[in-house]
Amino acid sequence: MSLSKWFRLFWSTLWVGAAAGLVTGGLIALFDGGFEGLAPIEIGYNLLMMLFAGMTFSILSQMFFFAYMIVNYVARGLFRKRNTWVLVQLFFILTVPFEIYFFVWEASLPAYLLFAGLLAAASLATAWLKVRETNRAAGVPTVFFMLVFTLVETAIALQVNLTQAVVLMTVPLVICNAWQIMRLHKLLGKTETEPAAA
């Protein structure tokens, strides 16, 4: 990937994260009564902070996306058989959600099942779109990134045990992760017949 394409992905993801943070934070405050009794300037300040929070989450997402790219590149060179790397990713897809629940999650089991279920659904939906635009080989790597990496990214918020914090952080991260993984093959110029890295 050329530097110009990488910058294009960086700035687009930054603004996607900003928009996601602003909308998510605004909806949370609206339904949670966070804007009640505030002056217009105070509401504007809060919305600005939500926008900056979204930008921060987008940068976190890009850091993990870069790490994912490195891990994927090294693993594909390390494992001579392609199926071996696929099996390793499946292993983490199946085990990391349990590890997050036992070692990080602080709320109830039903709450975690809801959280993990929604995240899994978003991951599968993104993988389905990715496969449609590239090939079937992109399915597992996409779920691996969307599910495993997003769980690791949100680990800090999950420890807080505050629903608003979890939602405010998770939604922009999921959107940014999906945006990057769906833009990757377009920036690299991958065709449907070429093997996809993700």
Side-chain angles (χ1 to χ4, degrees):
M1 183 187 297
S2 65
L3 192 59
S4 61
K5 290 181 178 180
W6 188 267
F7 272 118
R8 195 185 315 166
L9 181 62
F10 171 82
W11 286 110
S12 64
T13 305
L14 186 70
W15 290 114
V16 166
L22 179 62
V23 173
T24 304
L27 289 175
I28 291 174
L30 186 64
F31 288 104
D32 200 33
F35 290 147
E36 293 182 4
L38 296 181
I41 191 171
E42 293 175 319
I43 295 176
Y45 175 79
N46 287 343
L47 291 175
L48 184 63
M49 291 300 101
M50 295 169 188
L51 185 141
F52 284 144
M55 287 183 171
T56 302
F57 297 145
S58 78
I59 294 174
L60 177 64
S61 169
Q62 294 186 65
M63 290 171 58
F64 274 81
F65 185 67
F66 184 71
Y68 160 77
M69 293 287 289
I70 294 176
V71 169
N72 191 60
Y73 178 79
V74 172
R76 293 178 69 183
L78 181 64
F79 300 110
R80 295 185 179 182
K81 292 184 178 181
R82 184 179 177 185
N83 288 339
T84 305
W85 174 226
V86 173
L87 291 174
V88 170
Q89 292 177 87
L90 286 172
F91 171 78
F92 283 112
I93 290 171
L94 294 173
T95 58
V96 168
F98 291 99
E99 294 176 4
I100 292 294
Y101 173 71
F102 285 112
F103 299 110
V104 178
W105 189 259
E106 296 290 341
S108 64
L109 176 59
Y112 182 73
L113 291 176
L114 176 62
F115 169 76
L118 291 174
L119 184 55
S123 302
L124 291 172
T126 305
W128 180 75
L129 292 173
K130 184 75 173 183
V131 168
R132 281 192 61 187
E133 296 190 11
T134 56
N135 55 60
R136 289 192 301 175
V140 172
T142 302
V143 175
F144 174 66
F145 173 68
M146 288 295 300
L147 183 62
V148 175
F149 276 71
T150 303
L151 282 172
V152 175
E153 290 167 356
T154 57
I156 299 175
L158 298 182
Q159 291 178 319
V160 176
N161 192 20
L162 183 63
T163 302
Q164 293 89 335
V166 173
V167 174
L168 181 60
M169 186 174 190
T170 303
V171 172
L173 283 173
V174 170
I175 293 175
C176 288
N177 287 345
W179 171 260
Q180 291 178 97
I181 207 74
M182 292 302 300
R183 291 294 300 168
L184 180 61
H185 61 277
K186 297 177 181 178
L187 291 174
L188 295 178
K190 295 285 186 181
T191 64
E192 293 186 356
T193 57
E194 293 176 321

